[in-house]
Amino acid sequence: MAEGRENDFQIYNSMTKQKEKFNPITPGKVAMYVCGVTSYDFSHIGHARAYVAFDVLFRYLKYLGYEVKYVRNFTDVDDKIIKRANELGEDPLALSGRFCQEFLVDMADLQCLPPNEQPRVSDHMDQIRDMIAKIISNDCAYAVDGDVYFSVDNFPNYGRLSGRKLEDNRAGERIAIDSRKRNPADFALWKAAKPGEISWESPWGPGRPGWHIECSAMSATYLTEKFDIHGGGMDLIFPHHENEIAQSCAACPNSNITYWMHNGFVTANDEKMSKSVGNFFTIREVTKLYHPLALRHFLMGTHYRSPVNYSISQIEISSESIFYIYQTLEDCQNAILQEEPQKDGGKKYPMTDEAKKCINSLKSHFEEKMSDDLHTPTILNGSLQDAFRLLNKILSTLKKKLQKPLKLSNIQSLVEVEKQVRDVLDVLGLLSSSTYTEVLMQLKEKALKRAELTEEDILKRIEERALARKNKDFLLGDQIRSDLTSKGISLMDVGKDTIWRPCMPGGDEEKQTQTPAKSAEVKSS
């Protein structure tokens, strides 16, 4: 449990605007709610940013020994869903159900653990209607022509999360002015049904919930009115989370969430992602050309509260890093299996001092930085890199002729350092359920797709290069190698053989800056 560790877990609380020591309401248990997607389309990398960030939190809380109840909802009833369903001539719930499943595929690809509960709005109409009725009875909401609005004037603490004052909410800035509202800032709890729209019966007439009420109702249903952590993107602070607080407290005065956590925005090539600008793309568009682990690695390479700038050059760096990680792990596995029969009668040889120091450093640095509001970039670029350098150093040492005690000591060091590395990668969500070999093959397949080459193409170029070198035409041999490198394919001479692996593309500036969507267009043309 967390009490026995050197570092207290500190998280940034958006409500108090400072980092605070994490103290759950119930010792040893954590209740966490994260706002989910509105399921009317494929999810984009802004969604990936949020759910990878909270997956890391989920994993680290479990690592600290907490029993975590993680709830993430689906908004499967919404204006956007209805509009898209009407455009496609499809039932709204069928459409949203389909995209809920597609979202789960994306999350599995990104190694995000499934939450304990994934409630959908359409399954919780009773809870939503009951909460609205409580808010009305507490004089914080009113019904008008089948609509129900929350009365911000009757909730004095409105704005405490975002810091906004009521006068800041200028009428007509976000939505059209509705003269039926007592205050232009009042927001819908229940929307009266329009002709041809999906609806549910209620005391105020047929209709459907407003966007904000759903999370208040479902979080209270699964976690009670008091729980530890509520998370989401920074864009949800206002109005969504501000309205959640108002609704929940108006329905139940004892309602309270201890920590509010929010992840930063995603930009693309230093511009805000936008469909109109053309730099907006889905998780699928990225993972079509790059391994999902590369996307996850990239997203964790920036602190979760900071804005992250997506660019091809950055995802290429992460792709290279994932290949390096899995190649090293596979090399370790092969070395350990190869040396297994040579173990000295079950005798355990001591690790080298360097290995002991590395393990202690990695473990302490990992816990120190993760306990400092989940500082993943420092881990990826610091002690974890040091551990991989040591693993490769040991692998090189084992290729030399060593006396048996020294050799077995190095093997033991390899085993123990690799174990600690795997533990860290597991908490970061970078340890795939696939084998090392499978992941390396997947990475190579993605590299071939980006290069618009087949493996047969590369083997042919390797043969051409070998022939050129045999004929002393080193200029041609170098040119073949350079051409492949520019496309992200590196040739490596190993003894008498030449192998290939993915690499950072070189010498092609356009390739470094184009978006995944543009890459796909080039592929299909």
Side-chain angles (χ1 to χ4, degrees), residues 160-263:
R160 61 193 175 107
L161 176 65
S162 63
R164 293 171 66 114
K165 295 180 172 55
L166 279 179
E167 53 266 30
D168 295 334
N169 302 328
R170 295 189 295 275
E173 187 173 289
R174 289 178 176 270
I175 55 175
I177 298 171
D178 187 341
S179 59
R180 300 173 305 154
K181 292 183 181 181
R182 296 173 184 174
N183 184 319
D186 291 351
F187 56 90
L189 301 179
W190 188 260
K191 295 183 176 183
K194 295 177 182 176
E197 285 189 350
I198 186 172
S199 64
W200 287 261
E201 291 300 322
S202 81
W204 319 285
R208 55 192 168 84
W211 175 33
H212 315 295
I213 191 67
E214 64 188 57
C215 287
S216 290
M218 288 189 285
S219 62
T221 298
Y222 291 93
L223 302 175
T224 76
E225 72 279 359
K226 291 184 179 181
F227 59 94
D228 301 298
I229 299 170
H230 194 314
M234 283 186 178
D235 56 323
L236 298 182
I237 291 176
F238 187 89
H240 187 53
H241 288 166
E242 194 71 77
N243 292 352
E244 272 193 65
I245 293 169
Q247 295 162 160
S248 297
C249 292
C252 177
N254 293 326
S255 176
N256 184 61
I257 295 161
T258 314
Y259 306 95
W260 287 86
M261 297 180 70
H262 296 91
N263 62 275

Side-chain angles (χ1 to χ4, degrees), residues 254-478:
N254 293 326
S255 176
N256 184 61
I257 295 161
T258 314
Y259 306 95
W260 287 86
M261 297 180 70
H262 296 91
N263 62 275
F265 296 116
V266 177
T267 58
N269 297 320
D270 295 313
E271 288 186 286
K272 189 176 186 298
M273 278 207 311
S274 168
K275 288 185 177 180
S276 60
V277 175
N279 64 351
F280 177 97
F281 35 83
T282 66
I283 295 170
R284 298 284 174 93
E285 286 174 312
V286 178
T287 57
K288 179 180 179 182
L289 295 174
Y290 295 92
H291 199 286
L293 284 174
L295 177 56
R296 185 179 179 104
H297 183 279
F298 160 75
L299 293 170
M300 292 193 298
T302 301
H303 187 258
Y304 80 91
R305 284 192 289 115
S306 300
V308 58
N309 182 51
Y310 182 87
S311 67
I312 293 301
S313 59
Q314 290 301 311
I315 196 75
E316 290 278 8
I317 290 170
S318 285
S319 184
E320 178 90 349
S321 297
I322 293 296
F323 192 92
Y324 170 72
I325 287 170
Y326 276 82
Q327 186 64 69
T328 302
L329 291 174
E330 185 183 57
D331 291 345
C332 289
Q333 184 182 68
N334 291 339
I336 293 166
L337 289 173
Q338 184 179 342
E339 301 296 342
E340 199 78 35
Q342 300 184 31
K343 287 197 172 180
D344 194 359
K347 181 180 178 182
K348 190 173 182 179
Y349 279 79
M351 290 184 286
T352 63
D353 290 340
E354 190 176 14
K356 291 177 186 175
K357 182 180 177 182
C358 176
I359 289 170
N360 291 334
S361 175
L362 178 56
K363 183 176 172 62
S364 62
H365 183 258
F366 171 72
E367 292 185 359
E368 175 193 348
K369 296 304 176 184
M370 287 293 283
S371 291
D372 181 18
D373 197 31
L374 306 173
H375 221 287
T376 54
T378 314
I379 298 162
L380 291 175
N381 299 316
S383 55
L384 189 59
Q385 289 297 316
D386 293 338
F388 274 103
R389 278 191 283 270
L390 179 58
L391 287 173
N392 280 293
K393 181 181 176 181
I394 297 172
L395 288 166
S396 296
T397 301
L398 287 170
K399 292 176 182 176
K400 301 173 184 177
K401 289 186 177 181
L402 303 171
Q403 292 184 346
K404 190 171 185 179
L406 182 57
K407 187 168 191 174
L408 293 176
S409 179
N410 271 280
I411 293 169
Q412 188 62 36
S413 298
L414 192 71
V415 169
E416 298 298 333
V417 174
E418 192 255 7
K419 181 181 181 301
Q420 185 60 44
V421 164
R422 283 176 54 87
D423 287 346
V424 169
L425 291 174
D426 189 34
V427 179
L428 295 177
L430 292 174
L431 198 60
S432 175
S433 55
S434 301
T435 66
Y436 303 146
T437 302
E438 286 170 343
V439 173
L440 290 169
M441 286 178 63
Q442 292 160 5
L443 285 159
K444 293 178 82 170
E445 287 168 2
K446 300 288 186 185
L448 289 172
K449 188 174 288 188
R450 295 194 298 273
E452 299 178 294
L453 295 169
T454 64
E455 184 142 28
E456 290 73 20
D457 293 332
I458 295 176
L459 295 178
K460 183 180 178 183
R461 299 312 305 270
I462 288 174
E463 288 178 7
E464 291 170 356
R465 177 173 173 265
L467 182 60
R469 296 176 77 189
K470 182 179 179 181
N471 294 333
K472 308 292 185 185
D473 190 349
F474 299 112
L475 191 63
L476 176 58
D478 290 344

Side-chain angles (χ1 to χ4, degrees), residues 478-493:
D478 290 344
Q479 185 61 51
I480 291 170
R481 185 173 194 169
S482 177
D483 288 345
L484 288 173
T485 300
S486 72
K487 295 183 177 184
I489 304 296
S490 174
L491 299 186
M492 303 175 70
D493 297 317

Side-chain angles (χ1 to χ4, degrees), residues 33-37 71-75 118-119 121 214-215 218:
Y33 185 94
V34 175
C35 289
V37 293
V71 180
R72 185 184 66 209
N73 74 296
F74 281 111
T75 296
Q118 299 190 76
V121 175
E214 64 188 57
C215 287
M218 288 189 285

